[in-house]
Amino acid sequence: MGRDGYVPLFETKKARGRIPYRIFAVSMFVAICLIWVYRVSHVPIEGENGRWVWFGLFAAELWFGFYWVLTQALRWNRVYRSTFKDRLSQRYENELPGVDIFVCTADPAIEPPMMVINTVLSIMAYNYPQEKLSVYLSDDAGSILTFYALLEASQFAKYWIPYCKKFNVEPRSPAAYFISMSQSHYANQAKDLVDIKKLYEDMKHRIENVAKQGQIPEEVRSKHKGFSQWDSYSSRSDHDSFLQILIDGRDPNATDIDGCALPTLVYLAREKRPQHHHNFKAGAMNALIRVSSKISNGQIILNVDCDMYSNNSRAVRDALCFFMDEEKGHEVAFVQFPQNFDNITVNEVYSSSLRVLSEVEFQGLDGYGGPLYVGTGCFHRRDTLCGRKFTRDSTIEWKRENNTKREESVHELEEKLKSLASCTYEENTQWGKEMGLKYGCPVEDVITGLSIQCRGWKSVYYNPARKAFLGFAPTTLPQTLVQHKRWSEGDFQILLSKFSPALYGHGKISLGLRLGYGCYCLWAPNCLATLYYTIIPSLYLLKGTSLFPQISSPWILPFVYATFAKYTYSLAEFLWSGGTVLGWWNDQRIWLYKRTSSYLFAFIDTILKPLGFSDSAFVITAKVADQDVSQRYKKEMMEFGAFSPMLTIIATISLLNLFCFAGLMKRLLMDEGIMRLNYETMALQMLLCGVLVIINWPLYQGLFLRKDKGKMPSSVTVKSVALAASAYMGIMQPKLVLELLAVFMSILQVGYGIRFVIDREECFSHKVEYEGDTVHASFVVIKADSSWHFSQDGVDLVVKGPHGDQIHDFRDKISEKFEFVARQKGVHRFCFTNKSPYHETIDFDVHVGHYSYQDDHAKDEHFNPLLEQISKLEEALYNIQFEQHWLEAQTEHQAIVNEAMSRRAIHKAIWESAALIGASVLQVYLLHRLFERKLGISRV
Ligand SMILES: O=c1ccn([C@@H]2O[C@H](COP(=O)(O)OP(=O)(O)O[C@H]3O[C@H](CO)[C@@H](O)[C@H](O)[C@H]3O)[C@@H](O)[C@H]2O)c(=O)[nH]1
Ligand SMILES: [Mn+2]
């Protein structure tokens, strides 16, 4: 109990074990300093091997040390919050403020309307006076289907909300609830359960039917006037504002089946025009802030993404305990809940649970003034979100009467408010700058939160035992990497913006909080030190240049201690946050991949643009996965999926380490003397390289061993092998590279060609996915059926496009190698005709090269020059492959001819070696060229 008998509505406790943690942190810091001392005092003398590499390592270690210090801000001063909701009800049950909840959706294809309305229903059913709740759905796709689904939801809510209240249901998303009910069974609600489930299934059926048809049936359309708004619709990026108040909370007739009031429910698709930038989610939120201010004007605003349903119906009350606390409540601008996910597997293969972030780091930030605003699951005071500055008397009058009389009809109101959501409304206003969410940054939320804190406000992090929101985490590696690219790019932009926590934050927010922001804002630059550490020591391992202290030297101690202590602590932290050991191991892998790909791209992207903000795209994270993708996700198999330049980078680094490791093994096995020497001076380097190889195991599987659809795309395999080999070649003699390359090439060949016996006619189809793709094909007639007869007639091949149009016609050919650009996407047919009376064996190869990455999710416009180089490289490699394959087939063909002439043994051997030598010469030549090109690439 506080002074004057004041009983607080929430409590803040400092984390236990802070003293031991701080002792540990100091010991880590000492080890880090010793590492720096070692680097400075042991610089190789001028002319000695590895002097510059040494400086590089020193720079990387300085960075790691500095970054580690920053991360202490997230751990040094953790606090934990708890709320007293019963006190809140006792004191304020009749004066609870209006709460406006904004749900955002942007694409009915990757955010299915069923998912959206489940989220909407879960929040409409909050344990909160329904007449004080208003739910707004912003649909950035302006999809009539989403509108229809919401209309259905507004009907279903009349049954669902009373049901939730009656049985005190959790969670209140119908889909999630029915899944949870199939596991447990409550006899007393069996009948109601069956009824409500039937209603839900019927609704689902109707919505899915309409989705399948792709349009709203006339009889449905005629039932609601709202549909007529779509008459003027031309495309998702070109349409009027659509606004429909589906449930008007002030209408006394808007009640559920028990006669109780329903929450207000509004659909909004703001106006979109191609010539106006819509500013993604920030633009949607600002339109909602304005529109809602004229409908319900709730004093508290909650944002929920359409993929995050409410899992805890009392979360609104939790948040209000902070805002309404008599002593400290007036300082609080926003209350952020963690983002949890319900599709996380036990060992979270993409580490997307953000476990340590939500169980440790945000508590650390909270100790220094409050967490970041990270989007969904955040409650705001409306006035602070609209730009209000903090002053001592910033208290809100919660009792405000918000039932202001409205004269106009709902329809008139809708028409009037549409202008608030128009493209031009914000011109020459402070919206997107001082008011509402800020524009121009891929993480609109973080920068908005920072500017609120800089205006003097505090924020609160609240992580209740029953998770407040559950969402959908990415289920493939490229999706994860793309999401992290957006985040790290946005955060890095903030550091370089005028709102930089480093400069602007000075004197406005606490030092601890500034350092804490620094941890996230510096995600992107982390790539440099990490790339250096994962590439250089391994390469120099083979050169025999030692970069770390010898085993017998005392200087090894700080290295061993820092590494061991850091990883032991991080494992402990992970387990303590509810993870598993394997989950931690996966987390380390993703940590590596994020740092070497997402962060790298984010870093380059940000610094290539002129400093300050620029238009970065918001690639929406997919929320649905194919059947087989989700099967593999459940089995925790890594999904590589479509081509992405990010995959090429991580694959190249992993292969480079594999090459180095293999080279090392070879040496160790072949020369014991070197082994002893190596072991003494190179132990740490070997360990580093070895760990990198082990951690990359799933990637090697994806590259070479797996056959399912989720394996690494072959184009990535080809590119990364070439890049890794050429980098390796820069260090080692080419001979070894060739050996390795030959092995990889032979692995790659599997699956490219087919060999078949043809009698009269044989046709093959090959699907070309994109218009404009290059189709490479080759065939060789290997064998005429009878050994004594050798026909020189060859076969005919006719190639036809998807619509039966003829593309190529070859007559009487024994072998051919050709390529063409597909004019149309679709199934191409390759028909062989054999006119000779004998069976023929034919080797046939076809491959489609796709070099325009336009439609890839993981695309990145700013990498075009790089992509172009890579695709040329890819082209070159395909040529090698074809050449090699063609040569092989030719060899066989010749061998058979020779066999017929009874000189088979000698000739076959001669031909084979000639072909092999030819292929090798070609490879050396091409690889040299590739290597030159690679130098070109790194200058881009
Ligand atoms: O033009 C757009 C693009 C996105 N969205 C919505 O924004 C939300 C977040 O998009 P999503 O693709 O799911 O991104 P995530 O990376 O999962 O989102 C995280 O990161 C975002 C900032 O990058 C935050 O806004 C989110 O709250 C946070 O969950 C979704 O509801 C979208 O429908 C829009 O409304 N309009
Ligand atoms: Mn999301």
Side-chain angles (χ1 to χ4, degrees):
M1 194 178 286
R3 62 185 154 78
D4 307 333
Y6 151 74
V7 185
L9 291 179
F10 72 90
E11 186 180 55
T12 306
K13 278 201 190 124
K14 290 190 186 301
R16 274 179 298 161
R18 292 198 304 175
I19 305 292
Y21 178 77
R22 289 177 185 185
I23 294 173
F24 161 78
V26 169
S27 76
M28 268 293 288
F29 186 65
V30 170
I32 290 172
C33 291
L34 285 174
I35 291 176
W36 292 341
V37 171
Y38 168 78
R39 282 284 168 224
V40 176
S41 60
H42 287 71
V43 183
I45 48 167
E46 212 150 331
E48 206 180 314
N49 244 352
R51 188 173 154 89
W52 287 104
V53 178
W54 191 276
F55 289 136
L57 270 185
F58 180 43
E61 282 154 5
L62 267 180
W63 172 266
F64 284 140
F66 162 72
Y67 192 77
W68 179 86
V69 172
L70 286 186
T71 60
Q72 295 320 297
L74 307 174
R75 292 173 171 79
W76 199 256
N77 194 25
R78 283 176 290 133
V79 298
Y80 289 84
R81 313 276 193 173
S82 46
T83 57
F84 304 107
K85 293 184 280 288
D86 42 345
R87 293 182 192 165
L88 180 83
S89 328
Q90 277 162 21
R91 269 178 246 170
Y92 297 114
E93 189 62 37
N94 298 321
E95 302 160 19
L96 290 172
V99 178
D100 291 354
I101 306 180
F102 300 169
V103 181
C104 294
T105 183
D107 189 331
I110 49 181
E111 300 175 335
M114 274 317 289
M115 181 185 83
V116 176
I117 63 166
N118 266 291
T119 301
V120 167
L121 286 163
S122 75
I123 56 183
M124 285 175 82
Y126 263 128
N127 176 340
Y128 198 75
Q130 253 66 30
E131 64 279 8
K132 289 181 177 168
L133 276 182
S134 306
V135 179
Y136 295 80
L137 177 68
S138 152
D139 178 12
D140 263 354
S143 153
I144 196 166
L145 178 61
T146 307
F147 175 72
Y148 167 67
L150 194 69
L151 185 66
E152 285 279 358
S154 69
Q155 295 302 317
F156 180 69
K158 295 180 181 169
Y159 301 86
W160 179 243
I161 296 173
Y163 177 84
C164 289
K165 282 191 201 155
K166 185 169 170 196
F167 297 105
N168 206 6
V169 158
E170 287 296 0
R172 298 194 174 183
S173 143
Y177 170 71
F178 294 134
I179 289 174
S180 75
M181 285 313 278
S182 57
Q183 287 145 17
S184 54
H185 184 76
Y186 295 99
N188 62 342
Q189 64 199 75
K191 161 109 182 41
D192 300 71
L193 179 61
V194 171
D195 290 349
I196 193 86
K197 197 164 174 186
K198 176 153 192 326
L199 277 176
Y200 176 78
E201 291 299 335
D202 289 349
M203 169 178 75
K204 184 174 169 188
H205 189 71
R206 286 195 298 276
I207 293 175
E208 285 176 350
N209 254 351
V210 169
K212 223 178 278 164
Q213 288 169 23
Q215 57 179 17
I216 312 292
E218 208 37 59
E219 74 269 17
V220 178
R221 233 183 144 101
S222 58
K223 273 194 205 131
H224 200 283
K225 62 181 185 345
F227 289 112
S228 63
Q229 297 178 98
W230 270 265
D231 294 345
S232 64
Y233 175 89
S234 50
S235 81
R236 65 158 59 181
S237 55
D238 190 8
H239 62 78
D240 298 333
S241 305
F242 304 145
L243 175 65
Q244 193 70 49
I245 303 180
L246 291 170
I247 301 177
D248 180 10
R250 278 171 236 187
D251 175 0
N253 301 323
T255 54
D256 62 27
I257 48 165
D258 289 348
C260 300
L262 280 169
T264 296
L265 180 65
V266 179
Y267 172 90
L268 172 71
R270 61 198 164 118
E271 186 192 5
K272 289 266 186 81
R273 300 292 171 212
Q275 65 273 26
H276 287 101
H277 199 305
H278 59 80
N279 293 305
F280 310 109
K281 182 177 168 187
M285 289 283 289
N286 286 347
L288 284 174
I289 293 177
R290 291 192 296 271
V291 168
S292 65
S293 73
K294 301 288 181 220
I295 299 177
S296 49
N297 201 21
Q299 286 157 306
I300 298 291
I301 289 174
L302 162 65
N303 161 229
V304 185
D305 287 350
C306 60
D307 60 343
M308 282 241 166
Y309 63 86
S310 149
N311 181 58
N312 177 342
S313 65
R314 294 165 68 80
V316 182
R317 290 170 182 272
D318 281 320
L320 287 177
C321 286
F322 297 103
F323 289 116
M324 298 182 79
D325 182 77
E326 294 83 350
E327 200 154 79
K328 303 213 188 75
H330 68 286
E331 305 170 347
V332 178
F334 60 90
V335 178
Q336 176 73 57
F337 283 72
Q339 297 176 5
N340 301 103
F341 306 91
D342 70 351
N343 65 332
I344 297 288
T345 53
V346 187
N347 301 310
E348 37 189 322
V349 66
Y350 306 114
S351 166
S352 32
S353 69
L354 309 175
R355 203 175 280 290
V356 172
L357 197 121
S358 56
E359 299 298 326
V360 178
E361 300 187 354
F362 270 41
Q363 279 87 352
L365 290 169
D366 207 2
Y368 286 123
L372 280 58
Y373 162 36
V374 287
T376 178
C378 192
F379 290 82
H380 280 270
R381 260 172 73 156
R382 181 182 283 269
D383 53 352
T384 59
L385 197 54
C386 290
R388 180 169 175 182
K389 280 204 178 65
F390 175 74
T391 52
R392 277 180 195 288
D393 53 333
S394 293
T395 37
I396 307 191
E397 199 45 63
W398 296 110
K399 279 181 221 163
R400 194 188 64 182
E401 187 62 51
N402 58 2
N403 271 1
T404 42
K405 278 271 167 294
R406 231 200 269 135
E407 260 104 63
E408 67 266 78
S409 70
V410 174
H411 184 67
E412 280 163 353
L413 184 68
E414 285 166 355
E415 289 308 310
K416 203 175 88 187
L417 298 187
K418 278 183 183 174
S419 68
L420 297 182
S422 75
C423 286
T424 49
Y425 183 86
E426 292 180 348
E427 275 171 16
N428 306 318
T429 67
Q430 287 302 312
W431 283 100
K433 295 179 205 128
E434 294 299 314
M435 291 174 83
L437 279 89
K438 293 201 185 304
Y439 292 157
C441 181
V443 287
E444 73 296 329
D445 36 20
V446 179
I447 191 162
T448 306
L450 173 63
S451 75
I452 292 176
Q453 287 167 333
C454 286
R455 286 199 298 261
W457 299 94
K458 295 235 157 44
S459 63
V460 165
Y461 179 64
Y462 186 57
N463 184 8
R466 182 175 175 93
K467 300 299 176 208
F469 302 96
L470 289 181
F472 187 88
T475 53
T476 72
L477 185 62
Q479 274 171 22
T480 311
L481 296 178
V482 169
Q483 189 182 47
H484 276 272
K485 182 192 167 246
R486 162 152 48 82
W487 290 347
S488 55
E489 183 178 347
D491 289 344
F492 189 41
Q493 280 184 13
I494 295 177
L495 190 75
L496 304 178
S497 78
K498 71 171 193 194
F499 293 102
S500 171
L503 302 170
Y504 182 79
H506 178 71
K508 301 191 178 71
I509 52 175
S510 71
L511 179 66
L513 194 56
R514 286 169 65 199
L515 297 178
Y517 267 99
C519 287
Y520 302 106
C521 293
L522 287 174
W523 263 351
N526 258 318
C527 62
L528 300 177
T530 312
L531 280 167
Y532 196 86
Y533 236 79
T534 47
I535 297 176
I536 301 297
S538 300
L539 283 180
Y540 277 75
L541 177 63
L542 280 192
K543 267 195 122 178
T545 313
S546 164
L547 299 172
F548 293 93
Q550 291 199 10
I551 278 204
S552 51
S553 150
W555 283 109
I556 200 159
L557 291 175
F559 281 93
V560 172
Y561 178 76
T563 316
F564 182 76
K566 181 185 182 300
Y567 285 106
T568 315
Y569 172 74
S570 107
L571 173 62
E573 201 175 63
F574 196 86
L575 295 179
W576 180 79
S577 307
T580 62
V581 177
L582 194 54
W584 174 78
W585 180 244
N586 290 336
D587 183 55
Q588 301 306 308
R589 179 180 312 113
I590 294 297
W591 177 94
L592 181 71
Y593 292 173
K594 280 189 313 211
R595 285 187 166 206
T596 49
S597 62
S598 314
Y599 294 179
L600 174 70
F601 277 48
F603 182 75
I604 298 179
D605 233 9
T606 310
I607 54 166
L608 279 190
K609 291 173 197 166
L611 296 193
F613 290 154
S614 46
D615 289 345
S616 306
F618 189 125
V619 185
I620 300 172
T621 315
K623 277 105 188 165
V624 274
D626 290 352
Q627 190 74 31
D628 58 336
V629 172
S630 47
Q631 284 299 323
R632 285 192 288 273
Y633 178 71
K634 281 188 194 126
K635 284 192 221 148
E636 304 197 327
M637 276 168 89
M638 204 166 245
E639 182 80 23
F640 299 101
F643 171 83
S644 147
M646 300 209 217
L647 290 182
T648 312
I649 293 180
I650 57 172
T652 305
I653 296 173
S654 76
L655 285 173
L656 195 61
N657 277 290
L658 186 66
F659 291 173
C660 291
F661 196 74
L664 177 78
M665 283 299 135
K666 193 174 159 188
R667 262 201 217 173
L668 289 186
L669 294 177
M670 282 165 64
D671 192 334
E672 298 228 0
I674 295 179
M675 178 170 155
R676 246 206 65 242
L677 183 79
N678 269 339
Y679 198 66
E680 265 289 295
T681 55
M682 305 285 218
L684 281 189
Q685 250 156 297
M686 290 185 202
L687 190 72
L688 181 62
C689 184
V691 169
L692 284 169
V693 169
I694 299 173
I695 206 161
N696 277 315
W697 175 244
L699 209 136
Y700 302 138
Q701 277 183 315
L703 280 168
F704 303 119
L705 304 177
R706 276 168 53 181
K707 294 270 178 289
D708 57 284
K709 280 204 187 129
K711 74 175 178 41
M712 193 66 93
S714 350
S715 54
V716 173
T717 312
V718 174
K719 263 172 241 167
S720 50
V721 170
L723 284 170
S726 56
Y728 184 87
M729 189 161 66
I731 298 289
M732 298 306 297
Q733 303 101 347
K735 201 170 146 261
L736 192 62
V737 185
L738 269 181
E739 282 170 33
L740 287 168
L741 203 75
V743 175
F744 284 116
M745 283 301 182
S746 56
I747 295 173
L748 284 175
Q749 293 227 319
V750 180
Y752 273 117
I754 43 167
R755 175 168 296 183
F756 61 95
V757 178
I758 172 171
D759 189 0
R760 287 244 65 83
E761 192 179 302
E762 203 74 60
C763 286
F764 294 92
S765 320
H766 196 84
K767 190 159 176 214
V768 177
E769 298 285 357
Y770 303 95
E771 203 178 288
D773 281 357
T774 315
V775 182
H776 307 254
S778 70
F779 71 88
V780 181
V781 180
I782 293 190
K783 185 179 170 204
D785 196 33
S786 79
S787 54
W788 50 267
H789 170 92
F790 178 65
S791 93
Q792 282 291 345
D793 296 340
V795 292
D796 295 349
L797 167 63
V798 177
V799 185
K800 287 189 173 162
H803 301 303
D805 46 324
Q806 186 158 322
I807 297 174
H808 270 297
D809 187 358
F810 299 103
R811 300 275 154 195
D812 301 324
K813 293 273 181 199
I814 303 177
S815 72
E816 191 59 69
K817 182 167 161 293
F818 63 98
E819 59 187 21
F820 61 90
V821 174
R823 295 262 151 68
Q824 284 139 347
K825 63 174 184 186
V827 177
H828 286 63
R829 279 178 75 77
F830 299 79
C831 287
F832 290 92
T833 323
N834 174 16
K835 287 179 291 192
S836 76
Y838 312 103
H839 294 292
E840 305 269 17
T841 305
I842 297 179
D843 239 6
F844 175 51
D845 231 5
V846 58
H847 189 94
V848 179
H850 176 56
Y851 306 126
S852 68
Y853 303 101
Q854 281 4 324
D855 24 28
D856 269 320
H857 238 39
K859 68 153 186 187
D860 201 312
E861 307 88 352
H862 313 288
F863 266 73
N864 270 344
L866 188 64
L867 287 180
E868 249 164 51
Q869 289 299 328
I870 293 182
S871 58
K872 281 190 193 139
L873 213 104
E874 193 181 32
E875 188 79 61
L877 270 150
Y878 283 149
N879 285 339
I880 299 184
Q881 260 180 279
F882 270 113
E883 226 71 76
Q884 217 186 18
H885 177 232
W886 189 80
L887 271 168
E888 262 174 25
Q890 280 283 26
T891 314
E892 259 183 76
H893 173 91
Q894 286 300 333
I896 289 161
V897 177
N898 295 336
E899 194 180 328
M901 295 173 178
S902 336
R903 274 176 286 167
R904 104 181 172 213
I906 309 161
H907 279 255
K908 190 170 181 187
I910 292 174
W911 270 105
E912 239 170 37
S913 23
L916 267 175
I917 292 167
S920 306
V921 169
L922 195 71
Q923 279 174 353
V924 173
Y925 169 72
L926 279 164
L927 276 168
H928 269 292
R929 283 189 41 201
L930 294 179
F931 190 49
E932 279 163 25
R933 279 209 189 126
K934 205 208 137 232
L935 288 178
I937 292 167
S938 55
R939 259 185 261 118
V940 174

